[in-house]
Amino acid sequence: MLNQPQKLSLLKFKISGLFLFLWANTLFAEEWVPVYEEPRHRLVFENDETYILNVKLEPDYVSLYHQHKADILYVTIGGTTVWAEPLGGKRRQATVDKGDLRFSSDNHPLPHIHRVGNIGQTPFHVIGVARKSAVTKGGTPIEGDTSGMEMAMEKDHASVYRIKLAPGEKSGLHSHNLPYARVFMSDGEIKDQKGKSSVVSAADYLWLEKEGMHSYENAGESELEIIEVQWR
Ligand SMILES: [Zn+2]
């Protein structure tokens, strides 16, 4: 049997234990947000099947833990050295170069929670194109003359084309039967198949539903690089 002071000290011990438990829980709780709520992963476009993120991590920036659910293609506009750390896992370092393409599903199964840090000297800048559902639509997504278009990556749900044009050079005339995204890798000027020209900048992106025949002509003075992310 415990006497009164002993009971009281046991109670105090229990209460302080409870507070210690609650405090430790707050301190070590592994908080995370959906990727599009991470402050440097800006959601710049969204519809029923797709979203586009403009991701820019300045040197020394460490992101919040964030969750990836959809498969994202990362188009690297500005490369540097970064690390990625899965929740509860080991940090891994990688050097990423301008023009590098990779799907999040190449690095890890989805969904996946991690955080990333920029340990390089320059900003890490990528345009992320996400497919919300991996259901393929079938059919021939792209038809016509795809000359000048290199198939850079292929997945069940997406084909990625890299188009590099010297000044004055033209791509083949082709059509898109399914939606696709276009990401510009460089500043310059393009002319379409009708001769209409537009000024473009690196990291510009466009989401296009079906499109009839189109081609690109480099109307600028330096090499032009365009990535097309074609859903299938
Ligand atoms: Zn095209």
Side-chain angles (χ1 to χ4, degrees), residues 142 149 163 174-176 180 182 211 214-216 228:
I142 193 163
M149 301 172 64
I163 300 135
H174 61 277
S175 68
H176 295 263
Y180 73 105
R182 200 185 276 174
E211 191 176 39
H214 89 118
S215 63
Y216 301 101
E228 284 192 353

Side-chain angles (χ1 to χ4, degrees), residues 8-232:
L8 199 63
S9 74
L10 183 65
L11 185 68
K12 275 183 184 165
F13 176 75
K14 282 183 175 168
I15 290 173
S16 59
L18 178 68
F19 276 103
L20 189 68
F21 173 77
L22 290 175
W23 172 77
N25 242 18
T26 324
L27 192 68
F28 300 113
E30 307 284 23
E31 302 279 345
W32 54 268
V33 295
V35 61
Y36 42 80
E37 285 178 18
E38 205 295 317
R40 300 295 197 282
H41 292 67
R42 273 198 312 123
L43 182 66
V44 290
F45 172 84
E46 185 172 24
N47 67 14
D48 288 347
E49 58 184 329
T50 301
Y51 61 81
I52 298 179
L53 298 172
N54 190 345
V55 183
K56 202 168 192 181
L57 311 186
E58 299 301 327
D60 298 330
Y61 182 75
V62 174
S63 80
L64 300 178
Y65 278 107
H66 55 275
Q67 189 195 49
H68 290 273
K69 259 188 179 168
D71 200 6
I72 301 185
L73 173 76
Y74 299 100
V75 179
T76 313
I77 308 292
T80 187
T81 305
V82 291
W83 54 254
E85 184 184 295
L87 186 64
K90 236 178 113 197
R91 193 175 280 197
R92 281 170 65 182
Q93 194 174 310
T95 297
V96 189
D97 294 317
K98 182 184 174 184
D100 281 357
L101 303 170
R102 89 208 125 87
F103 280 95
S104 42
S105 62
D106 293 335
N107 297 340
H108 42 69
L110 296 166
H112 180 78
I113 301 172
H114 71 171
R115 59 177 180 168
V116 286
N118 180 355
I119 46 173
Q121 305 295 313
T122 54
F124 178 46
H125 190 189
V126 303
I127 298 293
V129 185
R131 178 87 177 257
K132 287 182 183 173
S133 133
V135 176
T136 56
K137 302 194 170 182
T140 310
I142 193 163
E143 282 176 302
D145 177 5
T146 54
S147 56
M149 301 172 64
E150 172 218 345
M151 166 81 82
M153 289 187 103
E154 197 163 25
K155 286 257 166 185
D156 287 344
H157 66 282
S159 303
V160 185
Y161 294 91
R162 191 191 298 275
I163 300 135
K164 273 187 178 176
L165 301 170
E169 199 183 347
K170 239 187 203 179
S171 78
L173 190 63
H174 61 277
S175 68
H176 295 263
N177 302 320
L178 290 172
Y180 73 105
R182 200 185 276 174
V183 181
F184 292 97
M185 301 299 300
S186 33
D187 298 344
E189 193 177 342
I190 54 161
K191 235 188 233 179
D192 68 12
Q193 67 291 350
K194 292 174 187 152
K196 185 179 166 266
S197 71
S198 6
V199 171
V200 297
S201 304
D204 280 357
Y205 57 85
L206 274 174
W207 174 257
L208 297 126
E209 296 295 333
K210 293 178 184 190
E211 191 176 39
M213 300 304 269
H214 89 118
S215 63
Y216 301 101
E217 181 181 341
N218 183 354
E221 272 149 27
S222 48
E223 188 186 65
L224 190 68
E225 186 177 342
I226 304 156
I227 301 295
E228 284 192 353
V229 190
Q230 174 64 66
W231 289 164
R232 297 162 60 94

